[in-house]
Amino acid sequence: MITHSNPSIKKQVYDRISYLGTVSKADLLNHFSLTSSSMTRLLEEMTSQGLVIVSGLGNSTGGRKPILFQTNPTYRYLFGLEISRIYSTLGLYDMHINTLSLTRWKMDEQMTPELFVDHVVNSAREFLTKHGISPGDVLGMGIGAVGPLDQRKGIILEPEFFPAPSWSNVPICEMLAERLEFPAKLDNGANTALIGEHWALRTENIQHALYVHSGVNIRSAAMSDGQILRGAVDTEGAIGQMIIQANGPRLREKGNYGALEAFVSVPALEERVRTQLKIGRGSLLSGILPDQVNFATLVDALAQDDPLVKEQFMETAAYLGIGLANLINALHPEYVILGGPLVSASPLVFDTALEIAKKNTYHYPEYSPVFTQGLLLEEAVATGAAVMMLQEWEGN
């Protein structure tokens, strides 16, 4: 129970209403140690400020029907931004995290940090103009980015594999806030994706969850007691360095030998297929030069049921399942959410990874976490970044 002595009681009540969607005063009194009159005054204050609105009447339990409250979706607005190596996404959201506008673009060799910021600023201004919203009505922009990061300073440190140069020590929050005239807050994309999925699945009341993103490398986030687990440093990509085969290969001659990312990543998959083509394996891709094979061509070939490509995707998925089992055996989540280009390429990847993970999970089937691709899919990082901004807003 939360007592009235807490100075942030209004924000806590707001967060509770936001989380539950629609509540009565009695619902709130069951959660907060406030007197009925104090809760009435607080709800009246929040209603007069426009923070919450009356949404109707509930069912009677013998007396008068209770008044129902919900947060005001148009009190303020939020942006969520994903910064990734293949695609980036910008969304504008109301206070109920309804998507008002969304844009997604490819990260190519020209998309330097400066051009990226130009693109984000121009897109954000277009969204605001379209919906008649002023910058002063925006709480801020949450950013979920590829790590490593200095989250506190809002800096993207030295990420690998960006197509464009100069993505090193980028003060992204400062660059955006200066031009947009509202604050920006940074976290790694795996964390914001898990925050977003946890929000979308909030009716399930999930306390312990694992999120794994499989793309250019492997990224992960974990939640315990409803809170993101954070270590001493930003270790979003550390899962990729999990050793699953002693004396195994390294990805691009970096990292640990036999690391998970050397088996489960877009570059590793591309390289394995190129090698098979070079030694003469038959494939729908045999007509092109092996070095021209990329992830897009592999996804197309997989959709056409090419045996070689299918085999290599299944091998990738099997190793992903091994990595998942190791994490599940250590963290014991209730939910395991899988995202990223490798998983979304085909149901085959998701199904194969699950099969292998379950076979290697200790005490399965007595202990059996729920596996899902989530509800937000490709929008998880950007949506979760907006949720993060809402949750950390002080309620003024």
Side-chain angles (χ1 to χ4, degrees):
M1 300 286 278
I2 302 170
T3 65
H4 193 35
S5 61
N6 193 311
S8 60
I9 185 67
K10 184 166 77 172
K11 179 58 164 59
Q12 292 180 51
V13 170
Y14 178 91
D15 286 345
R16 185 69 181 168
I17 299 171
S18 178
Y19 184 78
L20 294 175
T22 303
V23 300
S24 66
K25 187 177 80 170
D27 295 328
L28 295 170
L29 288 172
N30 287 333
H31 188 74
F32 295 93
S33 292
L34 290 178
T35 64
S36 178
S37 59
S38 293
M39 184 63 77
T40 297
R41 284 195 299 272
L42 186 56
L43 288 169
E44 287 175 350
E45 177 188 334
M46 294 170 74
T47 303
S48 68
Q49 290 177 324
L51 278 168
V52 301
I53 56 176
V54 173
S55 61
L57 298 175
N59 296 323
S60 172
T61 56
R64 286 170 24 186
K65 290 183 177 181
I67 297 171
L68 299 179
F69 299 89
Q70 64 175 225
T71 57
N72 180 359
T74 60
Y75 178 73
R76 291 287 189 275
Y77 299 89
L78 305 127
F79 279 101
L81 173 65
E82 174 185 11
I83 304 176
S84 193
R85 299 176 178 95
I86 300 176
Y87 288 97
S88 288
T89 304
L90 177 70
L92 173 65
Y93 306 85
D94 67 16
M95 297 286 274
H96 287 180
I97 313 299
N98 295 312
T99 306
L100 303 181
S101 288
L102 190 83
T103 183
R104 195 163 182 255
W105 63 95
K106 198 171 191 323
M107 297 291 282
D108 57 21
E109 294 83 357
Q110 280 73 49
M111 194 57 73
T112 61
E114 292 75 22
L115 283 178
F116 178 88
V117 167
D118 285 344
H119 188 80
V120 171
V121 169
N122 291 337
S123 297
R125 288 173 177 164
E126 285 175 16
F127 288 175
L128 294 178
T129 300
K130 175 183 175 182
H131 295 281
I133 299 167
S134 71
D137 287 328
V138 178
L139 288 183
M141 178 178 287
I143 305 169
V146 172
L149 314 170
D150 185 326
Q151 183 192 8
R152 188 176 59 82
K153 293 181 180 178
I155 298 173
I156 299 174
L157 296 175
E158 294 182 356
E160 295 182 309
F161 309 134
F162 266 83
S166 307
W167 281 93
S168 179
N169 297 309
V170 179
I172 192 69
C173 288
E174 181 183 316
M175 292 170 75
L176 286 168
E178 187 176 296
R179 292 180 59 184
L180 289 169
E181 301 177 57
F182 48 75
K185 182 171 179 58
L186 179 67
D187 200 348
N188 74 55
N191 281 350
T192 68
L194 182 50
I195 289 168
E197 293 291 0
H198 184 250
W199 170 272
L201 293 162
R202 60 193 180 281
T203 56
E204 303 293 324
N205 195 30
I206 299 163
Q207 295 299 304
H208 308 283
L210 170 67
Y211 175 84
V212 176
H213 181 282
S214 305
V216 174
N217 69 350
I218 310 294
R219 299 150 64 190
S220 69
M223 177 176 284
S224 182
D225 289 328
Q227 300 296 316
I228 293 290
L229 291 175
R230 299 185 184 277
V233 294
D234 174 36
T235 56
E236 176 198 36
I239 176 183
Q241 295 306 310
M242 177 195 302
I243 298 170
I244 61 169
Q245 184 183 108
N247 295 321
R250 289 198 299 175
L251 180 63
R252 295 182 175 177
E253 299 306 313
K254 293 182 179 179
N256 290 332
Y257 288 96
L260 183 64
E261 69 175 13
F263 300 89
V264 186
S265 61
V266 168
L269 176 64
E270 291 172 337
E271 196 54 44
R272 285 206 310 273
V273 174
R274 288 170 189 151
T275 298
Q276 294 299 312
L277 292 172
K278 286 174 181 177
I279 64 175
R281 290 282 303 277
S283 167
L284 294 171
L285 303 176
S286 298
I288 63 175
L289 292 173
D291 289 339
Q292 292 179 346
V293 168
N294 59 31
F295 187 64
T297 60
L298 294 180
V299 173
D300 287 343
L302 180 63
Q304 297 176 65
D305 210 29
D306 180 86
L308 170 62
V309 174
K310 183 177 179 181
E311 167 195 296
Q312 294 301 320
F313 266 97
M314 287 187 69
E315 182 176 315
T316 297
Y319 280 116
L320 174 59
I322 292 170
L324 286 173
N326 289 338
L327 288 168
I328 291 165
N329 290 333
L331 298 172
H332 313 299
E334 302 164 89
Y335 265 68
V336 179
I337 303 163
L338 303 182
L342 280 172
V343 175
S344 60
S346 167
L348 175 77
V349 177
F350 182 78
D351 294 342
T352 303
L354 258 61
E355 178 188 353
I356 301 301
K358 289 176 177 178
K359 285 180 179 177
N360 291 282
T361 295
Y362 190 59
H363 278 317
Y364 183 85
E366 290 79 11
Y367 162 55
S368 181
V370 175
F371 290 86
T372 176
Q373 287 183 260
L375 297 178
L376 301 175
L377 304 175
E378 292 179 342
E379 295 178 26
V381 175
T383 305
V387 175
M388 171 187 72
M389 204 75 202
L390 175 62
Q391 291 175 341
E392 301 199 5
W393 167 58
E394 295 180 356
N396 300 322

